[in-house]
Amino acid sequence: FFQAEDGIRDKLVTGVQTCALPIYGQEYKRMYGRSAEEYAEGYNEMDICIAPLKDNKFNKCKSQLKLIEAGFFRKSIIVSNIHPYTIDGIHGENCLMVDEKKGHKQWAKYIKQLINDREMREHLGNNLYYDVQKYHIEEVNKQRALIYRQLL
């Protein structure tokens, strides 16, 4: 997870590592694990999310939860171009997707691109927000109610 522009906020979080991006000299903050109660608050401390996954059988069984979470917080996200992120992710529309064969160079390119382009970050984050609303608990409950009514 990265926070772009204006350096890092003056918030201390246990287990956070601050480093400089080699090319830009800007700082970023790596977010380590948090308690369940504090987990979602981390999204308020970042501008760019990354969710890399290796293309293997285990990861294909995972959900696109990181993409959904980033969307609910209107955050731009860079993901691996594999299932589960291809379920809702649309490259250039609501996220950026990295092909495994292009590896670290494409990750670096997209991270730099989002750091330097606030409009793109906001565009991707806003589009993702609208695309993941179908997962909002109120929408899910409406669908459940409809299914229950049809069964009865």
Side-chain angles (χ1 to χ4, degrees), residues 92-104:
E93 293 293 321
N94 62 16
C95 67
L96 294 177
M97 302 183 103
V98 175
D99 293 320
E100 190 171 33
K101 293 177 183 172
K102 296 190 178 174
H104 68 280

Side-chain angles (χ1 to χ4, degrees), residues 52-64 82-85:
L53 279 181
K54 291 269 186 200
D55 191 5
N56 60 42
K57 289 179 184 179
F58 178 78
N59 287 336
K60 286 182 182 193
C61 296
K62 291 185 174 187
S63 74
Q64 71 278 33
I82 65 166
H83 184 85
Y85 299 128

Side-chain angles (χ1 to χ4, degrees), residues 16 41-42 144:
V16 172
E41 293 171 18
R144 278 189 193 136

Side-chain angles (χ1 to χ4, degrees), residues 1 14 70 74 82 106 108 115 118 137 143 145:
F1 303 110
T14 304
R74 294 182 189 258
I82 65 166
Q106 198 170 47
I115 286 171
R118 168 178 254 164
I137 192 67
Q143 293 300 316

Side-chain angles (χ1 to χ4, degrees), residues 76-91:
S76 58
I77 188 167
I78 306 167
V79 299
S80 299
N81 189 12
I82 65 166
H83 184 85
Y85 299 128
T86 54
I87 295 170
D88 293 302
I90 304 167
H91 179 73

Side-chain angles (χ1 to χ4, degrees), residues 113-131:
Q113 192 173 2
L114 289 178
I115 286 171
N116 291 314
D117 192 340
R118 168 178 254 164
E119 280 185 31
M120 182 180 213
R121 286 195 315 265
E122 290 174 355
H123 172 76
L124 293 173
N126 286 331
N127 285 349
L128 187 57
Y129 174 80
Y130 292 111
D131 290 344

Side-chain angles (χ1 to χ4, degrees), residues 2-5 20-28 47-50 76-78 96 98 103-121 124:
F2 294 91
Q3 180 179 4
E5 299 182 5
L21 280 162
I23 295 174
Y24 292 96
Q26 294 179 347
E27 292 182 329
Y28 74 90
D47 297 312
I48 302 165
C49 304
I50 62 171
S76 58
I77 188 167
I78 306 167
L96 294 177
V98 175
H104 68 280
K105 289 182 182 180
Q106 198 170 47
W107 284 101
K109 174 186 171 186
Y110 289 158
I111 290 168
K112 291 174 210 169
Q113 192 173 2
L114 289 178
I115 286 171
N116 291 314
D117 192 340
R118 168 178 254 164
E119 280 185 31
M120 182 180 213
R121 286 195 315 265
L124 293 173

